[in-house]
Amino acid sequence: MDSRRLHSEGPEAGSAGLSSLPRVLVLSRSYPNNVTELLGLWVRQVVAYSTRFCDVRVISPVPWCPPVPGLPANYSRFRAIDRTSLQDGIQVFYPRFFLGPGYSLYSFEWAFYYAAIRRLADRIRKNFPYDLIHAHFTYPDGAVAVHLGKRYGIPVVITEHIPWGVWDGLPRVKKKASWAVRECQAHLSVSHSVRASVEECVGRLPNLHVVPNGVDGDLFRLPQPGKVRKPGQLLFVGAVRPVKGADILLKAIRLLLDRGQRVSLVIAGEPYYDKYRQEETRLRQMVTDLRLENHVSFVGKKMPGEVAQLMGESAVLVLPSRIESFGMVLVEALACGTPVVATRCGGPEDIVNDRVGVLVPIEDPEAMASGIEQVLSHQAFYRPDDLRAHALNNFGLETVGNRIAQIYEGALGRTGLQAPLGSSLAS
């Protein structure tokens, strides 16, 4: 069903023109804005696609930054975020909410979040009486969504994008997140490894499912006929931070060069936090120490179209992460017909099989080098059309969108937030 989108100017806009499609309010702190354009792109893609089967509004709270002179740009930039925007025909609201320094008040973040958006959610509801709330991330977004769901008597769906192990040592957060899972209509993990981490806390509940992120096959596509890939060019795409394991990849590059392999590495990613910038500095020093200056290029922030171009011209996409909840860049590369090498670190195990690439252990430069060597030496085996078919059949936006549409239908067909979904939706 084609979407009939709303183009209202704000929460006070009239309800004239509302379609008969289900109305959904999305909550997600991770959503692109005019300052952090790449934040939560994977959420935006699925939300934009969902307009084919529902009408949507998005609330994406951003940290409140006091107008104090002299604050670092990393913090003061939040003041420049627009209050509202129209993206993909969807109205997005960016209310401000209070955050403590670092993780000092993280256990109470859901309460600050809820207080900051409750009146906005009420105002939106007056003219856009949403039938369902879909939150991305269980904490704090999902916990807030459940409180709003109880306030309005409507069902809640939560998508979890991170493994719950990150909350070890934060018992209040795990308790609140577990409560949200038990109270929502459907809880969707982006990979089996994420769902397993949820089950460790809440057990095997009937509302737990696996629905991956979706790739835009129109953007990430095969190179133009006749376009030749650069032999031996390896590509890393992602935030430059320690968990991504780029240091292991640099060591693997050194091993490959020592074996006589003619390889080069392009690192595409924006170090937009102070700790990320420290990691990039460390990696650049490693490049010098390992004598890789002529073989490694840091190309910085790249927009999705530019990433797709890099993927289409590279021989292999490498994801050397220490832990990964999904691994969106793997699916994007496969959609471009590019084989992949990744670590067994969670999410990639749902994506990579021996027909599309190689999986290797984490923290093992030797294994990483051997995996890359294997793919490079069998390029003809990895037929681009087959790689793309694997990506779109399993992770394409149409495939993922259809599953979400079914889950919405199931949630809206039941009363009470704890009612289990039908077994046909279970993963």
Side-chain angles (χ1 to χ4, degrees):
M1 183 183 297
D2 291 335
S3 170
R4 285 162 283 179
R5 298 173 181 170
L6 291 165
H7 294 274
S8 60
E9 295 301 322
E12 311 303 337
S15 58
L18 281 175
S19 77
S20 60
L21 296 174
R23 294 175 290 271
V24 177
L25 178 68
V26 170
L27 303 185
S28 181
R29 278 195 62 192
S30 290
Y31 210 85
N33 56 60
N34 59 299
V35 173
T36 53
E37 300 169 289
L38 302 181
L39 179 67
L41 275 177
W42 66 95
V43 177
R44 175 182 169 179
Q45 285 184 162
V46 172
V47 172
Y49 188 86
S50 73
T51 58
R52 288 163 171 77
F53 51 83
C54 64
D55 280 324
V56 188
R57 297 288 186 276
V58 178
I59 297 179
S60 180
V62 298
W64 173 73
C65 182
V68 176
L71 287 177
N74 195 44
Y75 298 101
S76 60
R77 62 179 177 158
F78 292 118
R79 291 201 295 268
I81 295 175
D82 294 336
R83 293 284 177 166
T84 64
S85 72
L86 194 66
Q87 300 182 37
D88 311 300
I90 300 168
Q91 192 162 19
V92 185
F93 302 90
Y94 300 100
R96 272 54 175 173
F97 78 115
F98 177 74
L99 286 178
Y103 283 85
S104 60
L105 298 175
Y106 188 55
S107 296
F108 307 99
E109 189 170 306
W110 74 269
F112 299 137
Y113 187 146
Y114 182 62
I117 76 162
R118 185 181 59 205
R119 290 183 180 178
L120 172 61
D122 286 348
R123 293 202 309 272
I124 294 172
R125 187 166 172 79
K126 286 181 180 178
N127 297 297
F128 181 72
Y130 39 90
D131 308 295
L132 179 147
I133 302 171
H134 188 165
H136 288 267
F137 297 91
T138 310
Y139 187 90
D141 311 76
V144 172
V146 171
H147 279 285
L148 288 176
K150 289 180 177 293
R151 180 177 178 86
Y152 307 128
I154 60 176
V156 172
V157 173
I158 299 172
T159 294
E160 183 56 277
H161 297 269
I162 62 172
W164 281 25
V166 300
W167 296 329
D168 290 344
L170 296 168
R172 288 184 178 179
V173 171
K174 278 193 174 182
K175 182 178 179 180
K176 192 66 178 180
S178 298
W179 170 82
V181 172
R182 295 187 180 100
E183 295 295 320
C184 72
Q185 185 75 10
H187 188 272
L188 321 178
S189 294
V190 295
S191 68
H192 287 84
S193 66
V194 170
R195 184 173 71 175
S197 74
V198 175
E199 288 178 342
E200 287 180 7
C201 294
V202 303
R204 291 180 174 270
L205 299 179
N207 65 340
L208 300 184
H209 308 277
V210 176
V211 177
N213 291 321
V215 64
D216 183 348
D218 293 332
L219 177 60
F220 293 92
R221 55 186 184 272
L222 298 178
Q224 293 294 326
K227 185 176 178 62
V228 179
R229 295 176 186 267
K230 297 179 180 180
Q233 177 170 294
L234 313 177
L235 177 63
F236 168 93
V237 178
V240 181
R241 54 193 179 118
V243 73
K244 291 295 185 178
D247 55 332
I248 302 299
L249 179 53
L250 291 178
K251 294 176 183 178
I253 297 295
R254 181 70 265 169
L255 291 172
L256 288 168
L257 291 170
D258 290 344
R259 295 175 186 173
Q261 293 284 343
R262 300 181 65 179
V263 294
S264 61
L265 172 65
V266 175
I267 297 178
E270 179 186 15
Y272 43 80
Y273 294 124
D274 287 339
K275 288 186 178 179
Y276 294 11
R277 285 191 283 271
Q278 293 170 14
E279 176 67 2
E280 184 178 273
T281 298
R282 186 176 77 90
L283 293 176
R284 288 180 180 275
Q285 185 60 50
M286 281 188 66
V287 167
T288 299
D289 295 342
L290 293 170
R291 307 184 312 280
L292 299 176
E293 295 93 336
N294 296 326
H295 304 277
V296 177
S297 301
F298 291 83
V299 298
K301 173 184 175 181
K302 294 293 180 183
M303 298 305 290
E306 296 171 305
V307 170
Q309 183 175 346
L310 284 171
M311 289 175 171
E313 68 184 29
S314 297
V316 185
L317 183 286
V318 186
L319 186 63
S321 299
R322 293 177 166 91
I323 187 168
E324 195 74 50
S325 57
F326 182 61
M328 193 68 206
V329 295
L330 297 172
V331 179
E332 291 168 347
L334 293 173
C336 294
T338 306
V340 297
V341 174
T343 49
R344 294 187 184 91
C345 61
E349 290 151 82
D350 282 6
I351 301 169
V352 183
N353 58 43
D354 58 10
R355 297 184 301 278
V356 302
V358 173
L359 286 170
V360 301
I362 63 171
E363 303 284 2
D364 192 336
E366 179 66 41
M368 177 66 65
S370 296
I372 293 170
E373 202 167 28
Q374 178 179 335
V375 174
L376 288 175
S377 62
H378 295 84
Q379 287 279 291
F381 174 78
Y382 302 104
R383 298 179 57 224
D385 288 339
D386 294 341
L387 304 186
R388 179 171 173 81
H390 174 76
L392 298 188
N393 290 342
N394 294 285
F395 311 104
L397 281 175
E398 182 176 1
T399 300
V400 173
N402 287 341
R403 296 188 67 185
I404 292 175
Q406 288 180 312
I407 285 169
Y408 284 0
E409 183 179 351
L412 291 167
R414 287 162 163 72
T415 59
L417 294 178
Q418 295 185 27
L421 292 171
S423 59
S424 64
L425 295 177
S427 299

